[in-house]
Each structure stands twice: as C-alpha cells, then as structure tokens.
Amino acid sequence: MIPSLLAKEVIQGLQAYITTGFETSTPWFSGAFKELVETPGRFYKGPYLSISLPFQQGDPGRGFFSTLKTDFPPYHHQQQAWQRLASDRVAKSTLIATGTGSGKTECFLYPLLDHCARHPGAGVKAIIVYPMNALATDQAKRFAATVHGSPGLRGRVRVGLFVGGLEEKPTQSMGPAAVITDKNSLRDDPPDILLTNYKMLDFLLLRPRDQKLWQFNGGGALRYLVVDELHTFDGAQGTDLACLIRRLKARLLPKDSQQLICVGTSATLGSGDEQDALIHYASQVFQSPFGDDSIIGETRLSASEFLNEPIEYLLTPILGVAKHLDASAYASPSDYLKAQYQLLFPEQGETRLDDPQWRSELGSQLKRHLLFNNLLRILARQPLPLDEISDELARTLPAGETRDSASALLDSLCALIAIAKSAEGQPLVNLRLQLWVRELRRMVSPLQAGSNKGDGYDRLGFSDDLKADDAGLYLPVVQCNHCNTTAWLTRQPKSSTQIQTDLRAIYNDFFRNDPQSQVVLPLLADEEPPASEGRVQLLCTQCGQIQTQGEQCLACGEEALQRVFLPNLVRERKVAGVPRLVSERNCPVCEQQDALLVFGARSVSLSSVAIHHTYATPFNPLGLNSPLLAAIDIVLQ
C-alpha cells in the first residue's frame, strides 16, 4: 500500500462520483456540485497523517511460557498482561486497554493456552465472549494456527467455536486453520476453550440439549472468563451481560469461589476519570474486584529512544526532481518505490522490495535520514492534514525546486515508511491516514439573489450547519434522475403567496405527494422557461413572497427578487378508488415521470465508491489485505 497516494485517489474518486453523477443541467446551479466537493473542508477533511512509534519491548526471547513459544518477543504491555494472567504466576483479573495493532489478543491468548496445556483434565477451562460472530470466527483462526504451530499444544489443547446458525461443513477436530465447530462434537467432548457470544452463552446455560457441554465442570474446571471489546457492552446489553455472568458463576463455580480470572479488553483509554470509570464498570459487570493496577495500557518508545542514531542521510538536490516524484510517471508501484528509494538513498545499492532483510535495512536507514526525523518532529503532538505537513516540511528543505515539490516528497517518504521493517521484522512504525467524508444529507440551497455569481454564498450546503442568525432563506434541493435538472423544493399552502421553509414539513409533503408541495426552478434573467405547464414568477429571497412583477417585494420591500418557474404538478388521481389531488414528481424540463428525487448521497453509496477505488487502485496492489502496517481510515459522518 502506498497510503497517501491511495487516499488522494479515493478523494478524487468520491469527487468524480458527485460531479459526474449529479452535476446539473440547470444554468442557475451550474458548477455548484463541483464547488461543494472541491471546496476544502466542506465535503471532506484531511487526509490526516499520524505516525505511532513502536511499543516498548519486554524481555527478549519467546520462552515466557513453559508449554509454547510465542511468535515474537513480547511488547512490554504484553509481558505485563502475561505476568498478571498466567495461572502459575500472579493470576489476577485484568483489563487490557491498548490500541489497534498492539497485540491485544495475544495478551490473553497465550496465558489461556498455557494453562490448558498444563491442566489437561476434562471440562471447559476458559470462555471467551465476543460481541459479534464475525469477530469470534476470525479469532478462532488465530487460536487454531497457534495451537497447530506449537508442539506443546498440538493434540493437547482443544478449542471450540459455538455460535448461532448451521455450518455448511462443521469441523469435528482441530486443524491448522480451524477449531472445532461441530456442535454435537462439542457437547459430547467439551473443549478446553470455548469461543462464543453472550446470547449463545445464555442458551448454552439454559437449553437441556446443551447441558452435556458442562458435564465436567462440576468441580470448578472453569478458570478464565474473557469479554472481548468490553466497551461495546453498554446500556441494556451491559446489564444483560452482568446478569449472564452471575448465572454462569452460580452454575459452574463452587459457592464463594475466587478462582475465576476475569479479563476485559477495551479501546485505548486516557487517564484519571476514564480509568476509574472502566474499573468501576468492569467490577459491576464481572462481579469481581479490579484493583487500580488492573489496567494494562500501551507504552510506546519516545522519539529520542526510537531515533537513537546520528543523522547520516540528507536529501540530495536533483535537477527536475518533480518528475522523479510523480507516481503517474512509473509503470507500476514497484517501479515507483524503487525510484523513491534511489532518490532518498542514492548509491545505497539495489532495491529488493521482496526481501525482508532489505526492508529492515530500509527501516534503519530511515531512522538516520533527516527527512524522516523532521516528519516525526512535525507529528510529535497530533495528527495533521497532509497539506499542512507539506508546508511544514517545505521549510526544512533547501530553497528551489525541492521545496516546491514538498507534497510529492511527503508521498514518497510515506510510501517508503509503509514498507519499512524494524530489526525484529515488525513494521517500523504504525503509519495511519484518516479521511473524513461527510455524507450529503438534508442538503439545502440559499435563495439569495446573485448567489450563483461567486458572491460568497455556497449554493449547496448542509442544513445542520445553518445558524439561527443566518440571513435569507434556504430550501432543500431536488434533481431529475433523467436530465439532471435541479430545483428548490418547498411547500405553498393554498391561497398563500409565500413559500415555507420548514424542512420537516417540506419533506413530509413531498414524500406523501401532498398538493401543497411545490417545485421552484430558478431562472437566469434572460433564460427561457420550460415548455411544460407552469408560470414564471418573482420570488423574494428574503421573505419568500411570490409575485408576478415589480422591482421590490410587495411584502417586505426588499429588492432581492429571483426569477423562477413554478411548474404545475398537481393532478387529480384515484387513490384506493377515491379521487384526490396529488403533487406528482415529474421533471418540469424533460417531463419524465417520477424523476424528481431529493438530492443526496448517503454513507452506503459513498463507502461503496471508496471501497471500489481502494481495490482498483494500483497503489494498493494487495487490496485491503495488505500485510503492511499502513492504514487508511475512511470515516463517514
């Protein structure tokens, strides 16, 4: 993944989706949709770049547990969690509050497997409750791979997945990528570790046919209870979970037993009140004590600890550097990456993108490059937009062409960071881009005279952004899905000469075809009106008065009159056999029936466009399953 280039392509794709799909044929609104999506801060914000430094390492080696080898040496917070959760060590209830990519699952996965390997007796020894079946299924694969890859676990520890629904091919035994999913097999021979969700766990405790699952738990075999993503169990769901855990303890544990080790995982927390609130909440849900030291938080290296080597590489001035930085000039992302490496590290030898050792060497070189050091300094406090970072970065570059190419140089640097590894083979840093996209809902347009002439008014805006003291009137927008004619939508009560602007009433009348619903098509001064049935009027953009002629509003005296066409869309139709007047949604220009739609683009449509570009772009050749720790979050509001 080349993250910054991918983010920019997603933005361009979303902009093209709006401008090509909705750009109007109505002269008054000409260019309004392009202005909406291209004006900074209106349709989207960002992308914001953040770089998280690596987590602090724990003790070297992979032999913390006697029955298995861990995949990597532990991070400091993982080692803390293992110390607290291992049944042959402290063995205390714990809350794991670390962020994405921190190895949160491994914090409890290894202690549970190690305990089961050291206590081979029958009975369910650990239960893990997930908020979603998809998460449980994904985690099951990780358990299966760990058990299969550990000689001390394979054939000794059994893990079962028991969720709702029928499996097409249920598995009756452990495999390299699958745990036991056959429900009858789980009942007849209960697993050591049970993965489920809280609704299914409730059924398993109550249904007669599932009681065999607990046939060996009378002596208190259950040792661990884990609730993954504890923060998602809020409100009534949290109360249900708390009651379920109390029934579980009463059913499977000896009276007044303190042997159960409770584990909750949660999103990264702040400090003070947030931690106190989590401890109090966990104590209530689990009905188990959690001390002030029970929260395991992430600990990352400081910049000085991470950048512990002297600067060795500087950006060498190159004539015509812009063409070297232009990603479109290269036949493939690999060619682009190779060229960027040669640009930042000239005469450093061959670029071997598929060689893990070379990627680790790249990570070491980046830490000794002034450009990378400056980028970390710029991002030390908070994520920043790419444009702002480029401006800051340009100040650190030599004057001339290089400074003008700071944005493209930032793309180049991000691309290399995304593929760089640490000496241990882990990603060098966690590079993340966030793009905030606003769904187009409850869109309105101002009626101010001349607002299509660049006088500072936005011809399309969000009703949620309107303030009480905003001058003028605003109406929602409808558009023909056949010819892209764009018009205002309002309601005009019978015998009234003024339009109304209450959005709720306007939408209600439009969707129920109320005869008070009125389409208003703005016209330029010399524009011919449509040939359809209707009349040309003057609309006061200050009070909504409609009149036939004059230079001033007859109601308020203002001269802000807009020439409009009011199509007659009211017809008599039989509804359930009864004649009634209805306002049809026919286009006043092309007269296509039922063609007028309220303008908007909701999150489902926008996310599908973004996902399409994420898959189709050459800057993400591995698709969404890229193993590189470079992420793009597209947040739809």
Side-chain angles (χ1 to χ4, degrees):
M1 179 189 291
I2 304 178
S4 58
L5 296 179
L6 173 56
K8 292 176 181 178
E9 186 164 301
V10 169
I11 292 173
Q12 293 170 358
L14 290 168
Q15 290 173 328
Y17 169 70
I18 300 300
T19 55
T20 59
F22 298 99
E23 189 55 72
T24 183
S25 60
T26 303
W28 196 94
F29 283 100
S30 179
F33 295 87
K34 186 175 182 180
E35 291 172 7
L36 171 66
V37 297
E38 292 186 358
T39 302
R42 295 189 63 205
F43 176 52
Y44 72 91
K45 290 185 179 181
Y48 294 88
L49 175 64
S50 64
I51 294 180
S52 299
L53 296 182
F55 299 103
Q56 287 185 359
Q57 290 291 328
D59 293 338
R62 302 186 293 125
F64 185 93
F65 300 98
S66 60
T67 61
L68 60 96
K69 296 287 186 183
T70 59
D71 291 338
F72 296 98
Y75 293 131
H76 178 66
H77 63 268
Q78 289 177 324
Q79 184 172 325
Q80 283 183 302
W82 297 347
Q83 287 282 5
R84 286 187 60 90
L85 294 178
S87 61
D88 60 346
R89 306 209 182 197
V90 177
K92 285 187 176 181
S93 295
T94 301
L95 297 170
I96 303 165
T98 60
T100 304
S102 62
K104 189 162 41 181
T105 298
E106 284 76 8
C107 287
F108 63 81
L109 179 148
Y110 290 125
L112 268 60
L113 293 174
D114 175 67
H115 172 80
C116 294
R118 290 185 291 100
H119 297 80
V124 177
K125 303 172 185 65
I127 299 173
I128 306 178
V129 179
Y130 293 96
M132 296 182 296
N133 287 350
L135 184 57
T137 303
D138 180 70
Q139 296 282 332
K141 297 176 183 177
R142 191 177 304 188
F143 272 91
T146 304
V147 171
H148 184 79
S150 303
L153 303 178
R154 189 167 57 247
R156 299 177 61 188
V157 177
R158 299 169 66 251
V159 182
L161 175 66
F162 205 126
V163 293
L166 297 176
E167 303 242 356
E168 290 185 9
K169 297 181 179 179
T171 55
Q172 298 180 349
S173 60
M174 296 286 294
V179 300
I180 303 168
T181 58
D182 182 73
K183 293 178 173 57
N184 287 328
S185 297
L186 293 172
R187 294 184 184 107
D188 294 337
D189 190 3
D192 297 294
I193 299 175
L194 178 66
L195 314 182
T196 186
N197 60 64
Y198 87 103
K199 286 290 187 183
M200 181 53 65
L201 181 57
D202 198 4
F203 288 135
L204 295 178
L205 291 172
L206 296 175
R207 291 190 307 203
R209 68 174 183 269
D210 294 323
Q211 297 314 298
K212 292 172 64 178
L213 188 66
W214 315 112
Q215 59 186 300
F216 302 113
N217 278 89
L222 183 64
R223 193 76 167 93
Y224 290 93
L225 174 62
V226 180
V227 178
D228 200 23
E229 306 293 346
L230 178 63
H231 60 276
T232 63
F233 293 91
D234 57 356
Q237 196 174 51
T239 302
D240 289 345
L241 177 63
C243 293
L244 173 62
I245 291 175
R246 283 155 175 77
R247 294 200 303 274
L248 175 77
K249 289 182 174 182
R251 172 75 171 79
L252 303 180
L253 296 176
K255 187 177 182 181
D256 299 325
S257 171
Q258 300 297 319
Q259 71 183 49
L260 189 65
I261 303 170
C262 299
V263 183
T265 72
S266 182
T268 304
L269 293 174
S271 58
D273 293 342
E274 290 184 0
Q275 292 191 356
D276 293 341
L278 179 60
I279 291 173
H280 177 70
Y281 175 71
S283 300
Q284 288 185 314
V285 170
F286 286 105
Q287 197 185 22
S288 181
F290 286 82
D292 293 338
D293 60 346
S294 62
I295 295 182
I296 302 296
E298 62 186 44
T299 51
R300 294 183 181 271
L301 295 175
S302 65
S304 59
E305 292 172 326
F306 180 65
L307 302 171
N308 55 2
E309 299 179 59
I311 300 296
E312 186 175 335
Y313 301 101
L314 303 173
L315 184 64
T316 304
I318 299 177
L319 185 63
V321 68
K323 67 178 182 180
H324 294 281
L325 295 168
D326 184 7
S328 63
Y330 298 95
S332 68
S334 296
D335 291 342
Y336 170 75
L337 287 168
K338 292 176 181 178
Q340 304 319 299
Y341 178 73
Q342 294 300 324
L343 181 67
L344 266 65
F345 302 99
E347 302 179 2
Q348 292 302 309
E350 181 185 0
T351 305
R352 306 183 305 278
L353 297 177
D354 296 328
D355 183 358
Q357 181 60 38
W358 178 86
R359 291 192 174 189
S360 293
E361 293 173 1
L362 171 61
S364 176
Q365 291 169 337
L366 281 170
K367 291 169 67 174
R368 290 174 283 150
H369 200 293
L370 179 62
L371 197 61
F372 179 68
N373 280 251
N374 286 338
L375 178 61
L376 290 186
R377 178 185 56 79
I378 293 170
L379 292 172
R381 293 186 177 180
Q382 62 185 0
L384 294 172
L386 289 179
D387 292 343
E388 188 172 331
I389 297 172
S390 298
D391 293 341
E392 288 288 330
L393 204 61
R395 298 173 186 173
T396 69
L397 300 174
E401 186 181 16
T402 304
R403 181 170 293 186
D404 296 335
S405 303
S407 177
L409 188 60
L410 177 59
D411 294 336
S412 171
L413 183 58
C414 288
L416 293 178
I417 294 172
I419 65 172
K421 299 286 187 179
S422 67
E424 297 78 22
Q426 298 278 39
L428 179 65
V429 293
N430 186 339
L431 184 148
R432 181 176 297 275
L433 280 164
Q434 280 198 339
L435 174 63
W436 293 76
V437 181
R438 191 169 187 180
E439 68 174 358
L440 305 182
R441 60 182 294 273
R442 294 177 63 84
M443 304 299 294
V444 293
S445 174
L447 308 190
Q448 283 91 343
S451 61
N452 60 320
K453 298 179 182 179
D455 58 359
Y457 290 109
D458 295 326
R459 283 175 289 166
L460 286 173
F462 300 88
S463 61
D464 293 338
D465 292 346
L466 297 180
K467 300 179 177 60
D469 57 351
D470 283 342
L473 304 180
Y474 293 80
L475 293 175
V477 175
V478 290
Q479 192 171 64
C480 173
N481 63 7
H482 184 72
C483 70
N484 279 25
T485 290
T486 306
W488 292 311
L489 180 66
T490 185
R491 66 191 300 266
Q492 184 181 3
K494 188 177 180 180
S495 73
S496 174
T497 59
Q498 281 189 314
I499 62 170
Q500 297 188 0
T501 58
D502 180 78
L503 292 184
R504 182 184 295 274
I506 291 173
Y507 287 133
N508 286 341
D509 281 2
F510 178 73
F511 289 120
R512 68 188 181 192
N513 298 101
D514 192 287
Q516 294 185 129
S517 181
Q518 178 65 62
V519 172
V520 180
L521 181 66
L523 301 173
L524 300 183
D526 55 353
E527 183 181 352
E528 288 293 325
S532 58
E533 181 182 348
R535 65 192 191 279
V536 175
Q537 299 283 279
L538 296 176
L539 171 65
C540 177
T541 62
Q542 297 300 312
C543 71
Q545 170 74 17
I546 296 175
Q547 60 193 57
T548 304
Q549 59 185 355
E551 296 182 355
Q552 292 182 328
C553 174
L554 299 178
C556 67
E558 294 287 341
E559 297 181 356
L561 300 180
Q562 169 66 49
R563 187 167 173 258
V564 296
F565 178 73
L566 304 180
N568 182 13
L569 300 178
V570 178
R571 300 288 186 272
E572 185 178 287
R573 295 286 183 265
K574 284 189 176 182
V575 179
V578 179
R580 56 170 289 191
L581 294 177
V582 298
S583 177
E584 297 183 332
R585 302 172 192 169
N586 302 338
C587 177
V589 176
C590 70
E591 301 187 58
Q592 185 78 14
Q593 292 188 345
D594 294 320
L596 291 182
L597 303 174
V598 173
F599 167 68
R602 303 303 294 266
S603 58
V604 173
S605 300
L606 296 176
S607 60
S608 65
V609 173
I611 291 171
H612 167 76
H613 281 275
T614 303
Y615 273 111
T617 176
F619 302 123
N620 189 25
L622 297 176
L624 293 176
N625 296 317
S626 171
L628 310 178
L629 193 53
I632 295 180
D633 299 327
I634 302 172
V635 185
L636 289 159
Q637 290 184 298

